[in-house]
Amino acid sequence: MSVLEELKNSIITYKPAKAKEYCQQALAEGIDPGVILSEGLIAGMSVVGARFKKNEIYVPEVLIAAKATHAGLDVLKPILSERKTEPIGKVIIGTVKDDLHDIGKNLVTMMLEGGGFEVVNLGVNVDPEKFIAAIKEHDPDIVGMSSLITSTLHWVEDTITAIESAGLRDQVKIMVGGAPVTEEWALQIGADGFGKDATAAVEMARKLLGVA
Ligand code: B1M
């Protein structure tokens, strides 16, 4: 079995220590970190997601799989986040209120950092007031929101409304993403941009700031 298959397997079989080990091995073999991410970690998490959806596994298993994914991400982070030049813009990012999913948001954070952005990661369950306080504190160019659950999607729209009410809407661009989010919905609720995945998020962030 190749190291990427072993890595994917370590997520599916809930083995954080192995995930870390295989990520290190894949890097040592000279495999591109983006490939390790997509064909190892994300591929494994996709299988876990499908099994969770079919009720073949439950929250405790998903939590250990998420832990394994994060163990791998920790190995890749220094490489993916390496910035070679001055930041091209500042982004604050968080998972919206009542939502604790953070794997995708953390991936987007790493890819943005690697793409030349300075990123302030506000974590999960971020309420509109915390987004507003962070805009005032950090003066970002872009506010990023991640949302994974349909029942809490409304917090994305509520946060945009709160940013408008606070008189801060004109000074930031807003980018949203997460599995249930579509481009059409994002634009409809007043966001400036949408990212289907972490790579698209970096492209969108550059576009929003007019960077070629
Ligand atoms: Co939850 N969960 N979960 N979960 N979970 C989903 C989202 C779900 C789709 C599973 C299912 O099929 N049933 C479902 C939501 C259903 C719905 O709303 N329609 C669900 C549910 C229901 C729940 C709970 C309610 C379960 C329960 O308790 N009964 C509960 C809610 C807790 C809460 O948040 N309040 C819950 C809990 C959990 C765990 C804690 C166990 C764990 C999270 C661990 C963690 O994140 N630290 C978890 C996980 C892991 C998942 C699945 C299996 C995987 C999510 C993930 O990490 N994907 C997920 C099923 C699925 O999505 N297929 C599921 C991998 C990640 C790389 O992809 O996050 O989509 P993703 O991010 C992508 C893009 O979306 C995009 O780029 C990323 C990288 O490519 N992107 C952005 C994301 N954010 C972006 C922001 C941007 C741009 C792009 O700009 C700012």
Side-chain angles (χ1 to χ4, degrees):
M1 213 188 283
S2 77
V3 66
L4 290 179
E5 285 169 59
E6 296 276 20
L7 176 57
K8 178 179 166 186
N9 231 6
S10 68
I11 308 291
I12 300 169
T13 55
Y14 322 116
K15 296 194 173 71
K18 285 282 175 201
K20 181 179 172 186
E21 198 181 303
Y22 288 126
C23 266
Q24 286 163 336
Q25 190 184 324
L27 283 176
E29 288 183 16
I31 301 173
D32 181 82
V35 173
I36 301 174
L37 197 62
S38 57
E39 293 180 24
L41 298 177
I42 296 181
M45 211 53 213
S46 300
V47 174
V48 171
R51 289 185 182 167
F52 187 43
K53 198 168 183 176
K54 287 193 260 172
N55 290 325
E56 289 172 4
I57 58 170
Y58 299 96
V59 169
E61 287 99 326
V62 181
L63 269 178
I64 310 175
K67 194 173 171 196
T69 305
H70 273 126
L73 286 178
D74 285 345
V75 175
L76 300 182
K77 186 173 170 26
I79 300 147
L80 289 171
S81 309
E82 198 175 293
R83 196 171 44 223
K84 296 168 189 78
T85 51
E86 277 299 296
I88 53 178
K90 193 192 273 186
V91 182
I92 62 166
I93 189 167
T95 303
V96 295
K97 186 168 161 57
D98 293 337
D99 190 340
L100 303 176
H101 296 86
D102 67 354
I103 297 175
K105 170 194 55 80
N106 290 343
L107 261 174
V108 171
T109 299
M110 280 180 213
M111 297 298 275
L112 282 170
E113 287 173 341
F117 289 85
E118 179 184 350
V119 185
V120 180
N121 188 340
L122 304 176
V124 296
N125 188 23
V126 181
D127 59 31
E129 292 72 29
K130 191 167 174 189
F131 273 107
I132 287 169
I135 295 172
K136 289 178 180 164
E137 183 183 348
H138 300 287
D139 190 21
D141 303 290
I142 299 175
V143 175
M145 282 180 249
S146 183
S147 178
L148 268 285
I149 324 178
T150 40
S151 60
T152 62
L153 259 185
H154 68 91
W155 281 114
V156 179
E157 189 171 5
D158 295 348
T159 304
I160 295 177
T161 306
I163 292 171
E164 274 164 11
S165 303
L168 299 168
R169 183 65 183 91
D170 291 344
Q171 68 186 62
V172 292
K173 298 285 185 192
I174 296 180
M175 177 168 77
V176 301
V181 176
T182 63
E183 182 165 32
E184 191 188 11
W185 180 79
L187 298 178
Q188 186 191 315
I189 60 158
D192 300 298
F194 156 78
K196 178 175 67 65
D197 54 32
T199 309
V202 178
E203 280 166 20
M204 178 52 72
R206 292 178 72 88
K207 190 174 162 198
L208 290 176
L209 298 194
V211 183

